[in-house]
Structures are given as structure tokens and as C-alpha cells.
Amino acid sequence: MASAPSAPVDSRTGLSAARFGVYVHFPYCLSKCPYCDFASVVARVVPEEAYLHALLQELALRVEAFGVLGREVHSVYVGGGTPSLWAPKWAGALLEALAKTFRLAPGLEVTLEANPGASDAARFSDFRAAGFNRVSLGVQSFEPRLLAALGRAHDGPLAVRAFEAARRAGFENVSVDFIYGVQGETLDEARRDAARALELGPEHVSAYALTLDKASLAEEVPLAKQLSRGEVTLPPDELVIDMQRAFEETLEKGGLARYEVSNYARAGFHSRHNALYWTGGEYLALGAGATGTVGRLRYSNHRSAEKWFEALAGKRLPHASEEPLDDEALCAERVAMGLRLANGVALEDVLQDFGKRLGARRAVVARLVGEGFAVEEHGRLRLTSRGFDVHSAIAAALL
């Protein structure tokens, strides 16, 4: 197995962190999962070439608007939707355009999200040849009952075959995604999923608790509606925490360290693109429903592919919203995101960057440490496993 590619190391997190990256959203799917609130379009016929040309139009408009021509890019992430539905030749053409627009950092991380379906896996060799060097498989579970509850079309054996296909295609950096806390799920099922994930031998695992509260969703998804009507019941919080512990204990015994609230990796294989979000980096976003942050501007594109196409046909940026980020917003985000990392955040340094002082927050820090929710050492505040369980409440208390 080849070593992980080199990357700049963020001095405050110890992570290989990209300071500038590109996110491309491919919204098309064959079906809509009942828990998914990402911008997606169910389509039997995907406008593959037309979508590429519109992306290239948006790229040109954004480069001119933001003045980012020639910037060094450390990560490219194509997410969705189901990007593995896209013909590799069109995805490869996009990568070629990005290579002509930006300077590509040595060891550039280029990720493709993929469903573990047979037709998707058959394209892995072509995606690898097109320039992708990392694949993220949406396994979600190996348990048939849980896959059915999540509306997934694949089964456990198909997920294993997809992983093996990625290896045969030459992918030496493979991530697998899981969801726990599904309606009716037991602790034993979570343990089995964690153990089977480890058996595959991935470099990276993401494990997320199913979240259906309206405040956390971009749109009210079918499962959330069923939950509000009492048609489904999620496991109690205490059991969900036990499920998270099962993933953590199992994966860490197998050499995948928990480096962020929901992410585990072998040494050197942290998600460089996600590190952008956690360490205050910038990311240019392209595609219907994509959200990006460049400088002090956060923008979101139209979630409707039709409106996105329409704006670009008129040579307009396809913004649905823009949010200028002031010091208050940037500081809050840096603290909240930093606390998601296993080695925490240099709290006082970050506050000083934005003209703030620790002040009354010192008492909050002392209480967190005293009650076992956090550890303070070498100028960093990091949450314990117990603190991770209530991350949002802790971030709110500090801010």
C-alpha cells in the first residue's frame, strides 16, 4: 500500500489541511433516500454533457468574480447526489478544466462520492484513469433491515464487492460512510456494522448519527415527516451514544483513530477536503445546490437544477443566497468547528485573531475541564468523548 500523499499541515490542528479547495455538486440520483436533505434530482436520463458545460460556465464566472485564477488547490471533492452516475469522460473533462484554471498542489486529493452499486463500481477504473485518487462509498450499513429503512438499493455483499472493485481500480485511499441511530436499530447491529467496516480495510470511515430534527435539515425529508407523525421512532439518545462508542472502540482497535466527531482515519489519511471546513479554509463551490466560502463571502447556489441552468444560460452567477461573514461569524465558526476535532482548538489564539479575549469564557472552560467534558493542554482546548456527545451545547456556551 502506497503512503498517503503529502499535504500542508495546519499548525493549530495538526491535520493535513487544504487552505483552498473546490467542491462540485452533482445533484442527480436514481432515487431519493428518505433521510437525505442534500440538493438532489431524481432523473432517469441525466443531462451529463450539458451539466459539464454549465459547470464550466460557472467556473469561468466565479474565477472572474472572485479573482482566484491560478490559486493553489489542495483538494477537489465531487459530491452529490450520485456523482458515480456521471460518465467518467465528463467528470475527467471537469478535472482537466480545473487543472488549467488553478495550480494543483503536490499530492492533490481528488475525491469522488459513489454508491456501492454494480453499475457504479464498473466505472471505477475509468474514474481512476480520469484523475480521481480517493473514493467515498456510501455504504450506510450492512444490515438488510437498516438498509431497507434508509431506502438504500444495495445490500451488504454488493457493498463489499464495490469496495473490492475500488481496490482493483487502483484506489489506495478509500473511505466508507455509515449511519447509525436508525429506527429500530440495536446496539449489536451497530457493533456488527463497525466490525464489518473494519474488515474491509479502509483508510477512512465516517459514521454519522441519523439526524431528523427540522433545525438541522435543509428541507423536511420523508423520514422527518414520518417521525413527526409518530410513524417511526428513533432510538433514545443514550442508545445512540452507545452506538457511537461501539464504532469508536471497534475502529480505534483496528488502527483508525477518531480525529473528528464523526470521522476516523489511519495515520495520514484524514479527509483533506473536510479539513477545509474544520480549520477555516476556503472552498469554491460549483453546481446546483452547492455552498462555498471564498474570502468573507458564503454563497449557496439554487437547489433547483432548472433554476441553476437558467441563471448560467443568462451568464449570471446562480446564487440563491449570499452571506457576508463578519468577524463575529467567522470567530464563532472557527471555535465551533475546531471543537469538532480530536485535538481541539487553540481557543485563546483564535479569539485574538478576531480581536476578542477569553474573559468570562475562562470560567466556562474551567467548568468544562472540571466536569470532564474537556482537557486543556499546550494552549489547546479539546473535548473528551463525553464532551463530543454534547458538542453543540459546549460551543454555544463558549460563544
Side-chain angles (χ1 to χ4, degrees):
M1 187 69 66
S3 61
S6 61
V9 176
D10 186 282
S11 61
R12 289 183 176 170
T13 66
L15 285 181
S16 297
R19 307 320 303 157
F20 183 72
V22 177
Y23 174 76
V24 180
H25 193 74
F26 185 85
Y28 299 100
C29 290
L30 294 179
S31 62
K32 179 80 170 178
C33 297
Y35 60 87
C36 177
D37 69 329
F38 290 117
S40 60
V41 179
V42 176
R44 291 188 177 277
V45 179
V46 177
E48 299 184 66
E49 185 176 5
Y51 196 72
L52 168 68
H53 291 315
L55 283 172
L56 298 182
Q57 286 180 295
E58 184 181 0
L59 175 62
L61 289 172
R62 294 212 177 279
V63 167
E64 182 179 2
F66 294 139
V68 293
L69 181 65
R71 279 197 67 173
E72 187 172 63
V73 171
H74 293 276
S75 74
V76 175
Y77 193 105
V78 182
T82 311
S84 50
L85 290 176
W86 209 10
K89 68 175 181 178
W90 304 125
L94 172 67
L95 297 185
E96 290 175 6
L98 294 176
K100 293 175 181 176
T101 305
F102 302 109
R103 287 183 298 115
L104 305 183
L108 174 73
E109 177 190 272
V110 189
T111 301
L112 176 81
E113 283 188 354
N115 267 351
S119 60
D120 302 67
R123 295 174 161 186
F124 284 168
S125 292
D126 290 335
F127 280 120
R128 184 70 187 90
F132 290 91
N133 56 24
R134 181 176 186 268
V135 65
S136 180
L137 288 173
V139 175
Q140 314 312 359
S141 178
F142 290 107
E143 299 290 325
R145 188 173 59 82
L146 301 182
L147 288 169
L150 292 169
R152 304 295 289 176
H154 68 273
D155 59 17
L158 192 57
V160 172
R161 290 197 293 273
F163 185 93
E164 292 170 345
R167 289 295 197 219
R168 287 195 301 273
F171 283 98
E172 297 180 343
N173 190 351
V174 181
S175 178
V176 287
D177 289 1
F178 287 84
I179 295 176
Y180 59 87
V182 180
Q183 58 268 34
E185 184 174 4
T186 67
L187 182 56
D188 282 344
E189 286 173 323
R191 286 198 181 104
R192 285 199 297 269
D193 270 343
R196 294 182 71 183
L198 189 61
E199 287 172 4
L200 289 176
E203 284 67 41
H204 188 280
V205 174
S206 296
Y208 300 98
L210 179 63
T211 303
L212 297 175
D213 60 290
K214 293 181 181 180
S216 301
L217 298 172
E219 63 181 62
E220 192 176 15
V221 298
L223 264 182
K225 294 176 181 178
Q226 289 180 276
L227 182 67
S228 65
R229 293 194 298 261
E231 296 170 6
V232 299
T233 303
L234 298 186
D237 291 345
E238 296 80 5
L239 179 53
V240 173
I241 290 173
D242 287 343
M243 291 176 183
Q244 183 280 310
R245 294 276 193 275
F247 268 92
E248 181 178 14
E249 292 168 5
T250 301
L251 295 176
E252 291 200 336
K253 285 178 182 177
L256 282 88
R258 187 184 190 187
Y259 72 97
E260 192 269 346
V261 170
S262 303
N263 288 276
Y264 307 79
R266 300 191 187 282
F269 287 94
H270 304 95
S271 170
R272 197 177 309 169
H273 190 79
N274 286 345
L276 282 169
Y277 310 142
W278 303 323
T279 61
E282 298 174 85
Y283 44 101
L284 188 77
L286 308 170
T291 295
T293 299
V294 178
R296 286 177 169 261
L297 179 71
R298 175 160 298 144
Y299 64 91
S300 294
N301 283 348
H302 292 297
R303 289 173 65 87
S304 161
E306 183 179 353
K307 289 183 179 179
W308 179 80
F309 270 114
E310 183 181 332
L312 291 168
K315 298 183 178 180
R316 303 187 309 275
L317 287 173
H319 286 177
S321 65
E322 294 183 1
E323 179 190 1
L325 300 171
D326 59 16
D327 281 355
E328 197 74 27
L330 286 169
C331 181
E333 186 164 288
R334 287 283 296 280
V335 172
M337 292 293 102
L339 287 172
R340 293 184 64 90
L341 297 169
N343 65 342
V345 62
L347 181 60
E348 195 161 6
D349 289 346
V350 170
L351 291 173
Q352 287 178 355
D353 285 348
F354 295 98
K356 299 178 181 297
R357 296 183 178 180
L358 199 57
R361 296 180 181 87
R362 168 53 61 192
V364 178
V365 170
R367 189 171 77 249
L368 292 171
V369 172
E371 295 179 1
F373 290 102
V375 174
E376 190 176 21
E377 56 187 7
H378 308 302
R380 306 187 68 83
L381 181 70
R382 60 179 178 83
L383 301 186
T384 61
S385 289
R386 186 182 177 202
F388 274 153
D389 296 337
V390 288
H391 164 269
S392 296
I394 289 175
L398 284 168
L399 296 169

